[in-house]
Amino acid sequence: MKIPAGQTRSYEQIARQIGSPRGARAVARACANNRVAVVVPCHRVVRGDGSLGGYRWGLPLKEKLLQRERAA
């Protein structure tokens, strides 16, 4: 929730930020299990190479949400 709208962070960056530098997979799993995407915007978390990775509601929606945020 601390990632500003329109910006992204990698799973690894989030893991390091929460004090678990080897926890990127756990971060990805937490995002995948997120059922309240409007409240906890997991669409802002991407792969280390900047690609979108996965998204519970499909990559086209993830891309659209990020585009809207960047345009705002």
Side-chain angles (χ1 to χ4, degrees):
M1 292 175 55
K2 294 181 181 181
I3 304 170
Q7 294 185 21
T8 60
R9 301 290 184 276
S10 72
Y11 298 104
E12 183 181 354
Q13 287 173 312
I14 299 296
R16 279 188 270 132
Q17 185 178 8
I18 63 172
S20 184
R22 295 171 41 113
R25 282 187 169 197
V27 172
R29 186 165 186 79
C31 287
N33 289 322
N34 176 16
R35 293 192 172 130
V36 288
V38 176
V39 179
V40 182
C42 285
H43 64 275
R44 296 180 188 156
V45 185
V46 297
R47 291 181 176 166
D49 64 3
S51 64
L52 295 181
Y55 191 57
R56 181 183 192 100
W57 293 276
L59 290 180
L61 179 58
K62 183 174 187 172
E63 186 172 22
K64 189 173 187 176
L65 289 169
L66 287 170
Q67 286 175 351
R68 274 192 200 163
E69 289 182 354
R70 288 180 183 135

